[in-house]
Amino acid sequence: MAKKYVYFYGLSEEQTEGDRSMKAILGGKGANLAEMSNAGLPVPPGFTLSTEACKYYSEHGGKYPQGLEKEIRAHLDQLEKGMGKKLGDPDNPLLVSVRSGAAISMPGMMDTVLNLGLNDKSVQGFIKQTGSERAGWDCYRRFIDMFGDVVMGPYTGLKHEHFEHEIEKLKKKYGAKEDTDLTAEQLKELVGIYKKVYQDKVKKPFPQDPEQQLDLSIRAVFGSWDSDRAVKYRQINKISGLLGTAVNVCTMVFGNMGDDCGTGVAFTRDPSTGESVAYGDYLKNAQGEDVVAGIRTPKHMNDMAKDKSPAWRKTHKELIQIMKRLEKHYKHPQDIEFTVERGKLWLLQTRNAKRTGIAGVRWAVEMATGKDVFTGKKQTKILSQKDALMNVGGSDLEQLLFPVFDMKEEKKANVIAEGLPAGPGAASGTIVFDADDAEAAVEKDKNARVILVRRDTSPEDVGGMWAARGVLTSTGGMTSHAAVVARGWGKCCICGASALNIDYKKKQVTVGKKVYKEGDSISLNGSTGKVYEGEIPLQSSPVVEAVIGGKAAAKKHPYYRMYEMLSGWSDTHRKMKVRTNADAPKDAAAAKGFGAEGIGLCRTEHMFFEGDRIWSIREFILAEDREGREKALKDLLKHQQKDFEGIFKEMDGLPVTVRLLDPPLHEFVPHEKKEQQEMARRLGVSARKVADRVRQLHEFNPMLGHRGCRLSITYPELCVMQTKAIIGAACKVSKLKNAVKVHPEIMVPLVGSKTELDYLENVIRTTADEIIERTGAKVKYMVGTMIEVPRAALTADQIADRAEFFSFGTNDLTQMTFGFSRDDVGTFLPEYTNRKILDVDPFQHLDQEGVGQLVKMGVERGRSVRGDLKCGICGEHGGDPDSVRFCYESGLDYVSCSPYRVPIARLAAAQAAIEE
Ligand code: ADP
Ligand code: MG
Ligand code: MG
């Protein structure tokens, strides 16, 4: 049997051949037209040519697949019979529209032809049929315009503007203000002019044969799939894997036959605030895209309810009813197109409405509770809790957690550059180029708002990064220093905005021809990566004010209540734990507020930068022998132990994974001469000695150099000190008057072979057991390792013999599996994703195909020797919804992510469990 390419819809349920599940082959528009017909809604009937036909056409140099022509004819016969009219009939013509529609909506990408079937004869038949001379000529002139522009335009250069120019001229000639002021006679004159415009460009008269009109239009829609702008749109929006566009041939209904007619678009709920009120625009006596084209100012839907004519008021009621029905049917707010022909309402399209994150959250919550979160007003319950959770995305929830720009103001603002959305939220302020300047500004004025603009950042800059409202860098990817640190704090950050040309000396940044100096205002949208000129007004997040600030008023805010509800539902449905990456009690407290169930990664190196501690570690680095190093570490021990006490107290009863020192030592020493001199003065050595040591520490590949467990193996005293600090703190807080339960997990980084862990486990256990015995505290601890070197994943069965837990460090694991330096990906990764060599940045979304195999293998091999091996992930992927799902499928016990991503991970974990 030949393949079926054409599907009928409308007239009756029996005749409708498709439904909403067939989006891939009928396109979104076609599938929903069929679905609405099945539901008995008023849809003008027609038929849909499948995306498979388009694929064939596109792959065979513009040839129809065999049998398509016949199938079109058969379906057209069916339509003509059902409607009692014939395409092109001089007495009783059928008019149709030819509309594109792919599986994913691509707004404005492929155009539509309306009123097809009109010619010099059928226009008379149409006039007789409708009794409206004006509508006849109005439709005909529109048809010539659209057919000329959409169908012939790509080959001949004929454009809508050419026609537009003529109608403007004619309006002037007759003193008509709007299109609707033109009389039938004048529109007839216009048709004559349009035909000339057409002939001039196309060099052929306007085609009179309706079958030819239809054929050319179908081909044009198919052809537009491969047009430059469609290809580009798919590229920009990363749309792939579609077959092509479907073509819908749809019986025309007319909104342009007088004041009892009209056309409009509407949302079943407000797409920007999420409020449960129908939201839409319509125009009387208009057709097709007049509403969005801005030809006349449309009226708001509410006006329809107040119209003088009872017919319009009745239509309003009916429309509202249908919208409610659609929402319930699709279990999702809808975005619809409708036309009213002489008081009769027709639906021309419906689709799941696009909306802001806030609106998405509000819809989900209100549809599940049946209650307006703002007013408490009752609504229909449409969704189960599970459905509601599946309707919200991580990025939607994110919009509740961070300050956001006033949407209208943001639209008006000037985008000067774009980078990676590294730390969400929004920030406005004045530019500084130096971390110290940022700190100084805030020291001087607590409320100073500065944006730190740098090529990149290093641990030395954290003070200034903290002080700044937002951080902007011109290099670096999603796991660059700036990105990781900013995300940890929930600070707005944009990385790798490569259009920025930063000159530290002149204290200015150049973008193209524009120059921005220190003190100039800019704004960052860290959720989209857009950098704007000037200040944009901000709204702060009530959720953060409630969770972090503990403000009672904020807890009553509807945003907070929505967050609470969704998070609560998430917790009922998820099975995987969510921990956080936190290095300080303050961060741990924030994360706990957001629902973290432990710390999955506490990086100790950040503790080395605070206050005067940097001098101890520098002394350690300069020391000549073990004795000297141990002396330097004494001071650090005191500080570290205090830090851990604070963290353990904060996480009372929850597990805390502490990672031993990880970064290469050169990160702790200054690289500029002036600072090296100061270091020499402070530590009482010669400047030369400092400079020599710094030079010694230089490595060609620091990420693959002397770091991680390699540091602790070469300097065991470092491992001893850190173990003392961790276990010392644990013993101390467990013996306090109001004792705290502690579950320390000591984690060795960058292990590649079991023997590395053997050696360090020994050091750790000897040190720890001695303290526990001495203090008599009842502390149980675990020793485990990060799995971040591919070799560790491959030999996980050996390593698990020693390790009590695994934590997948997917930042390094990605770096080493791809061989991509995570600090240098900015130079080529954007090009990779642009050209689709990689679909996405593997540092943002876990590469499940490659890196993911190592994770799965690590879990399996590890558990093959230790059945109860605790497994988690602590890379940045722990807060990425897709990666969280993968972690769940791989059998991980928990994911760990930065504090502000904990709610997102909770949601993603719930979705993973529901989907299962
Ligand atoms: P888009 O995908 O750009 O929205 P559509 O195919 O939906 O394009 O159509 C463009 C406009 O024409 C819409 O306003 C739609 O409602 C209107 N339209 C399409 N087909 C018909 C029809 N058969 N009768 C009346 N109006 C139509
Ligand atoms: Mg449409
Ligand atoms: Mg690492």
Side-chain angles (χ1 to χ4, degrees):
M1 221 177 80
K3 197 170 176 66
K4 180 173 173 65
Y5 288 108
V6 187
Y7 296 78
F8 200 84
Y9 70 84
L11 290 179
S12 70
E13 211 176 311
E14 292 73 52
Q15 294 186 62
T16 301
E17 297 175 294
D19 62 46
R20 74 201 255 197
S21 71
M22 295 165 72
K23 263 191 191 164
I25 59 163
L26 298 182
K29 202 178 283 169
N32 285 331
L33 284 166
E35 182 79 12
M36 287 195 289
S37 307
N38 286 331
L41 291 166
V43 175
F47 52 87
T48 305
L49 279 61
S50 75
T51 56
E52 290 169 315
C54 176
K55 182 170 191 281
Y56 185 98
Y57 184 89
S58 155
E59 285 172 356
H60 293 81
K63 255 179 44 198
Y64 281 167
Q66 215 192 342
L68 179 63
E69 222 146 345
K70 251 202 194 141
E71 244 188 295
I72 296 173
R73 189 58 249 179
H75 282 80
L76 186 59
D77 285 343
Q78 187 180 349
L79 184 62
E80 290 178 336
K81 200 165 146 232
M83 297 305 294
K85 298 174 187 172
K86 271 186 151 33
L87 195 70
D89 193 290
D91 293 317
N92 193 18
L94 173 75
L95 266 52
V96 295
S97 63
V98 175
R99 319 164 66 186
S100 63
I104 296 174
S105 92
M106 298 196 264
M109 287 318 296
M110 274 159 293
D111 291 314
T112 297
V113 180
L114 300 178
N115 310 319
L116 188 141
L118 283 176
N119 57 27
D120 295 348
K121 290 200 182 107
S122 63
V123 69
Q124 297 297 347
F126 180 78
I127 290 169
K128 245 192 285 164
Q129 201 184 49
T130 61
S132 172
E133 170 127 35
R134 196 188 172 280
W137 296 110
D138 189 44
C139 287
Y140 198 10
R141 65 98 187 169
R142 287 171 187 269
F143 177 41
I144 300 170
D145 179 341
M146 278 189 266
F147 185 89
D149 174 52
V150 177
V151 180
M152 302 316 283
Y155 317 97
T156 61
L158 182 56
K159 285 202 170 89
H160 173 63
E161 283 82 18
H162 297 121
F163 297 108
E164 194 62 20
H165 178 71
E166 294 300 332
I167 191 172
E168 287 310 318
K169 250 173 47 189
L170 197 80
K171 270 155 74 181
K172 239 192 217 137
K173 177 170 151 193
Y174 293 114
K177 251 175 60 201
E178 296 188 336
D179 296 6
T180 39
D181 297 331
L182 290 169
T183 64
E185 204 44 45
Q186 292 160 354
L187 285 166
K188 185 175 174 185
E189 183 183 342
L190 192 62
V191 165
I193 299 170
Y194 274 14
K195 282 201 270 187
K196 266 204 216 93
V197 171
Y198 183 96
Q199 166 110 39
D200 275 358
K201 278 276 178 202
V202 181
K203 313 288 179 219
K204 271 189 221 158
F206 184 76
Q208 294 289 310
D209 174 6
E211 290 203 26
Q212 193 196 359
Q213 293 170 353
L214 181 60
D215 182 64
L216 288 171
S217 300
I218 291 172
R219 286 171 189 278
V221 175
F222 280 164
S224 74
W225 179 254
D226 292 316
S227 69
D228 287 348
R229 65 175 184 163
V231 170
K232 192 126 197 201
Y233 182 89
R234 291 198 293 274
Q235 224 170 35
I236 292 170
N237 293 282
K238 309 209 186 316
I239 298 170
S240 61
L242 300 187
L243 301 170
T245 176
V247 181
N248 302 288
V249 178
C250 181
T251 304
M252 282 301 299
V253 288
F254 301 94
N256 57 336
M257 293 204 293
D259 273 346
D260 53 352
C261 305
T263 183
V265 292
F267 287 88
T268 57
R269 297 183 192 223
D270 187 322
S272 68
T273 65
E275 192 182 353
S276 177
V277 287
Y279 175 97
D281 293 323
Y282 72 106
L283 267 178
K284 286 187 186 174
N285 198 9
Q287 191 178 52
E289 274 164 346
D290 292 2
V291 179
V292 275
I295 294 174
R296 281 177 281 150
T297 313
K299 290 176 172 232
H300 192 273
M301 254 186 67
N302 291 347
D303 298 339
M304 204 188 280
K306 291 180 265 176
D307 201 284
K308 282 199 299 286
S309 128
W312 273 109
R313 296 204 296 272
K314 197 180 127 251
T315 303
H316 179 261
K317 263 201 197 124
E318 198 186 340
L319 187 56
I320 295 283
Q321 249 168 23
I322 286 183
M323 284 164 84
K324 285 209 170 118
R325 240 183 98 187
L326 280 173
E327 210 174 62
K328 223 170 142 182
H329 186 83
Y330 283 93
K331 294 187 169 220
H332 195 289
Q334 298 292 298
D335 163 5
I336 64 163
E337 289 174 5
F338 63 91
T339 283
V340 178
E341 180 180 323
R342 297 195 163 146
K344 162 124 184 80
L345 177 64
W346 294 96
L347 292 179
L348 289 159
Q349 190 174 332
T350 191
R351 61 182 168 207
N352 286 353
K354 293 220 171 89
R355 36 51 169 195
T356 62
I358 303 270
V361 169
R362 182 164 175 190
W363 290 351
V365 167
E366 293 187 353
M367 289 197 295
T369 56
K371 215 162 113 186
D372 187 313
V373 242
F374 279 75
T375 62
K377 212 175 121 192
K378 263 203 136 143
Q379 299 179 6
T380 323
K381 257 197 216 176
I382 296 173
L383 298 181
S384 67
Q385 279 182 13
K386 279 188 187 178
D387 289 335
L389 288 172
M390 296 311 287
N391 260 313
V392 181
S395 54
D396 304 327
L397 201 53
E398 200 169 74
Q399 284 192 22
L400 287 185
L401 299 179
F402 297 95
V404 289
F405 289 132
D406 181 313
M407 250 184 314
K408 278 197 204 114
E409 298 290 330
E410 183 173 6
K411 266 214 182 106
K412 283 191 269 172
N414 220 352
V415 179
I416 54 181
E418 265 184 74
L420 295 169
S428 270
T430 52
I431 301 177
V432 293
F433 293 99
D434 195 298
D436 293 339
D437 293 345
E439 277 188 275
V442 173
E443 235 158 71
K444 221 171 97 197
D445 170 10
K446 215 166 69 256
N447 298 317
R449 289 183 292 129
V450 297
I451 305 285
L452 180 61
V453 181
R454 308 239 352 130
R455 281 184 216 131
D456 54 19
T457 64
S458 75
E460 287 175 286
D461 299 324
V462 287
M465 292 169 72
W466 176 255
R469 293 291 165 109
V471 178
L472 170 63
T473 70
S474 59
T475 65
M478 291 297 280
T479 59
S480 64
H481 177 264
V484 173
V485 172
R487 252 194 317 275
W489 294 333
K491 183 161 304 243
C492 172
C493 174
I494 296 176
C495 283
S498 52
L500 304 181
N501 215 322
I502 301 171
D503 189 331
Y504 290 138
K505 278 225 178 81
K506 285 193 190 151
K507 297 207 172 194
Q508 66 180 37
V509 49
T510 322
V511 196
K513 281 189 189 127
K514 287 207 159 173
V515 180
Y516 302 90
K517 296 202 174 291
E518 186 180 61
D520 287 350
S521 294
I522 54 168
S523 298
L524 312 180
N525 185 335
S527 305
T528 61
K530 286 197 167 79
V531 183
Y532 298 95
E533 193 172 80
E535 296 236 354
I536 305 174
L538 278 172
Q539 283 167 287
S540 68
S541 158
V543 176
V544 171
E545 283 180 6
V547 172
I548 312 281
K551 293 203 180 123
K555 287 194 175 155
K556 292 198 187 115
H557 196 286
Y559 282 12
Y560 176 75
R561 287 191 282 117
M562 292 197 283
Y563 155 83
E564 267 269 290
M565 277 188 260
L566 275 179
S567 300
W569 301 344
S570 295
D571 290 350
T572 351
H573 295 288
R574 81 185 152 92
K575 295 176 192 144
M576 191 167 54
K577 297 256 183 210
V578 176
R579 294 197 195 180
T580 190
N581 300 350
D583 311 337
K586 177 175 65 50
D587 303 340
K592 222 170 95 179
F594 282 126
E597 299 162 293
I599 292 182
L601 175 63
C602 173
R603 306 178 187 87
T604 48
E605 56 268 21
H606 289 188
M607 301 175 172
F608 287 16
F609 280 95
E610 231 165 88
D612 278 346
R613 303 172 192 191
I614 187 75
W615 296 106
S616 307
I617 186 74
R618 284 176 177 174
E619 196 183 324
F620 167 88
I621 290 169
L622 278 184
E624 305 270 354
D625 49 21
R626 181 158 180 164
E627 205 171 89
R629 284 193 294 272
E630 279 178 348
K631 191 176 142 266
L633 288 176
K634 269 208 183 112
D635 212 36
L636 275 175
L637 172 60
K638 271 192 299 193
H639 289 304
Q640 283 227 304
Q641 179 162 336
K642 269 247 161 61
D643 286 338
F644 290 132
E645 284 166 20
I647 289 174
F648 289 148
K649 278 188 207 156
E650 196 55 62
M651 298 310 281
D652 185 9
L654 299 174
V656 176
T657 307
V658 182
R659 179 178 72 183
L660 300 180
L661 193 69
D662 183 51
L665 294 180
H666 81 91
E667 287 195 8
F668 299 102
V669 292
H671 293 90
E672 276 171 34
K673 204 164 162 200
K674 225 177 82 199
E675 287 174 41
Q676 287 182 359
Q677 280 167 349
E678 196 200 328
M679 175 168 162
R681 202 164 38 243
R682 222 168 140 147
L683 298 179
V685 295
S686 71
R688 172 98 189 262
K689 185 172 169 190
V690 172
D692 282 349
R693 183 73 180 120
V694 171
R695 211 169 304 122
Q696 244 176 28
L697 287 174
H698 171 83
E699 292 176 307
F700 288 104
N701 276 319
M703 287 312 253
L704 300 177
H706 194 181
R707 58 172 286 226
C709 65
R710 301 159 202 172
L711 284 172
S712 292
I713 287 172
T714 46
Y715 304 120
E717 58 275 20
L718 202 53
C719 174
V720 170
M721 182 279 281
Q722 293 205 289
T723 306
K724 278 185 182 166
I726 299 163
I727 300 299
C731 291
K732 187 163 169 199
V733 298
S734 72
K735 293 185 74 177
L736 291 175
K737 237 222 256 85
N738 26 13
V740 166
K741 273 219 178 81
V742 267
H743 303 285
E745 303 174 344
I746 300 178
M747 178 158 76
V748 182
L750 222 72
V751 163
S753 60
K754 173 178 179 281
T755 41
E756 287 173 313
L757 189 61
D758 283 345
Y759 178 79
L760 289 174
E761 197 215 32
N762 207 4
V763 176
I764 294 167
R765 290 215 183 271
T766 317
T767 312
D769 293 345
E770 190 273 319
I771 299 171
I772 294 173
E773 200 171 316
R774 178 160 43 80
T775 56
K778 283 202 187 73
V779 167
K780 284 220 174 73
Y781 67 96
M782 287 168 96
V783 181
T785 181
M786 271 178 103
I787 303 289
E788 53 185 339
V789 174
R791 194 180 187 284
L794 296 168
T795 59
D797 46 351
Q798 295 172 30
I799 292 174
D801 184 40
R802 275 284 165 140
E804 290 174 293
F805 65 88
F806 281 177
S807 176
F808 290 88
T810 46
N811 296 350
D812 267 307
L813 193 59
T814 300
Q815 163 164 277
M816 288 191 234
T817 303
F818 273 95
F820 288 171
S821 157
R822 58 201 243 217
D823 298 305
D824 301 309
V825 285
T827 51
F828 59 88
L829 202 58
E831 210 43 44
Y832 265 49
T833 44
N834 275 346
R835 292 198 201 164
K836 285 271 170 199
I837 289 171
L838 286 178
D839 277 344
V840 292
D841 176 349
F843 291 99
Q844 265 182 73
H845 306 286
L846 187 75
D847 159 49
Q848 303 181 4
E849 226 182 4
V851 180
Q853 264 193 61
L854 289 171
V855 173
K856 281 199 161 139
M857 181 190 296
V859 175
E860 269 164 37
R861 293 198 178 167
R863 287 192 180 146
S864 73
V865 297
R866 192 188 284 267
D868 61 347
L869 182 74
K870 207 195 261 190
C871 294
I873 179 181
C874 62
E876 288 300 303
H877 303 101
D880 168 60
D882 279 342
S883 311
V884 171
R885 186 180 318 117
F886 177 81
C887 290
Y888 179 69
E889 288 161 8
S890 307
L892 297 194
D893 299 301
Y894 69 86
V895 295
S896 186
C897 57
S898 48
Y900 283 72
R901 294 204 72 84
V902 168
I904 292 155
R906 282 161 81 191
L907 172 66
Q911 290 173 336
I914 292 169
E915 250 172 30
E916 195 180 30

